[in-house]
Amino acid sequence: MIKTTDLCDEKPQQARVLAPLFMDLGGRADFQGPAVTVKCFEDNSRIKELSGQAGEGRVLVIDGGGSERCALFGDHIAEDLVCNGWAGVLVYGYVRDKAVLRGLPMAIKALGVTPAKSVKRNEGQVGLDVTFAGQTIASGDLLYGDDDGVVVLDAPRA
């Protein structure tokens, strides 16, 4: 795994650092891989759909608008993400089932924890650019996360 501090040292012009808002809630703190973005507000329908797909080492980036009113996923979706090969999850929002999440072999970074579940209205969009924690993340951008924070590099250009 490439350390976020090393990326910042080696690529100071390209490494975009997210504001330090996120708690480590999974059994690991580190992830790296291309981003898959989801924009949803208090509805985890798209997250549930993606959790059943092959992750292929990608990082699920969820823009939940920072809402504290409900968790965007918990133990069931997290277990699906692990089983399907996702490298990690970054949530601009809240999750639940913290005790189970910290036992999973995956990095899960979120704003915090709440017991309330989200609604299912079949809303949300996949693949949009999302902006939070001072940075914009596009699907395909490379995300690196560890104990020191989260760094984004623009997607490689062909």
Side-chain angles (χ1 to χ4, degrees), residues 18 27 63-64 79 89 98 105-106 113 129-130 145 157:
L18 273 66
D63 180 357
E79 288 167 350
V89 186
K98 179 179 177 179
M106 170 183 273
V113 179
D129 290 1
V130 294
R157 292 183 176 81

Coordinates of all heavy atoms in Angstrom, one line a residue, residues 18 27 63-64 79 89 98 105-106 113 129-130 145 157:
L18 N -8.2 15.4 1.4 CA -9.5 15.7 1.9 C -9.4 16.2 3.3 O -8.5 15.8 4.1 CB -10.4 14.4 1.9 CG -11.2 14.1 0.7 CD1 -10.3 13.8 -0.5 CD2 -12.2 13.0 0.9
G27 N -12.4 -2.7 10.0 CA -11.3 -3.4 10.6 C -9.9 -3.0 10.0 O -8.9 -3.5 10.6
D63 N -21.5 10.2 -1.4 CA -21.9 11.6 -1.0 C -23.3 11.5 -0.5 O -24.2 11.6 -1.2 CB -21.7 12.6 -2.1 CG -22.0 14.0 -1.7 OD1 -22.5 14.2 -0.5 OD2 -21.8 14.9 -2.5
G64 N -23.4 11.4 0.8 CA -24.7 11.4 1.5 C -25.1 12.8 2.0 O -26.0 12.9 2.8
E79 N -20.9 -6.3 4.6 CA -20.5 -7.7 4.4 C -20.5 -8.0 2.9 O -19.6 -8.7 2.4 CB -21.3 -8.6 5.2 CG -21.0 -8.6 6.7 CD -22.0 -9.2 7.6 OE1 -23.1 -9.6 7.1 OE2 -21.7 -9.4 8.8
V89 N -14.5 1.9 1.6 CA -15.7 2.8 1.4 C -15.3 4.1 2.1 O -14.8 4.2 3.2 CB -16.9 2.2 2.1 CG1 -18.1 3.1 1.8 CG2 -17.2 0.8 1.6
K98 N -21.6 -0.4 14.1 CA -20.1 -0.2 14.3 C -19.4 -1.4 14.8 O -18.3 -1.7 14.4 CB -19.9 1.0 15.3 CG -18.5 1.3 15.6 CD -18.5 2.5 16.6 CE -17.1 2.9 17.0 NZ -17.1 4.0 17.9
P105 N -12.7 -7.0 7.3 CA -11.3 -6.7 6.8 C -11.4 -5.7 5.6 O -11.0 -6.0 4.5 CB -10.9 -8.1 6.3 CG -12.1 -8.8 5.9 CD -13.2 -8.3 6.9
M106 N -12.0 -4.5 6.0 CA -12.1 -3.5 5.0 C -12.0 -2.1 5.7 O -12.5 -2.0 6.8 CB -13.5 -3.6 4.3 CG -13.9 -2.4 3.4 SD -15.5 -2.6 2.8 CE -15.1 -3.5 1.3
V113 N -21.4 7.5 13.3 CA -22.4 6.4 13.5 C -23.7 6.9 14.0 O -23.7 7.8 14.9 CB -21.8 5.3 14.4 CG1 -22.7 4.2 14.6 CG2 -20.4 4.9 14.0
D129 N -19.7 13.4 -10.4 CA -18.7 14.0 -9.6 C -19.3 14.4 -8.3 O -20.4 14.9 -8.3 CB -18.1 15.3 -10.3 CG -17.3 15.0 -11.5 OD1 -17.1 13.8 -11.9 OD2 -16.7 15.9 -12.1
V130 N -18.6 14.2 -7.2 CA -19.1 14.6 -5.9 C -18.1 15.5 -5.2 O -16.9 15.4 -5.4 CB -19.4 13.3 -5.0 CG1 -20.5 12.5 -5.6 CG2 -18.1 12.5 -4.8
G145 N -6.3 5.9 1.1 CA -6.7 6.2 2.5 C -5.8 5.4 3.5 O -5.5 4.2 3.2
R157 N -5.1 9.6 -17.5 CA -5.7 9.9 -18.8 C -5.1 9.0 -19.9 O -3.9 8.7 -19.9 CB -5.4 11.3 -19.2 CG -6.2 12.2 -18.3 CD -6.0 13.7 -18.6 NE -6.8 14.6 -17.8 CZ -6.5 15.0 -16.6 NH1 -5.5 14.5 -16.0 NH2 -7.3 15.8 -16.0

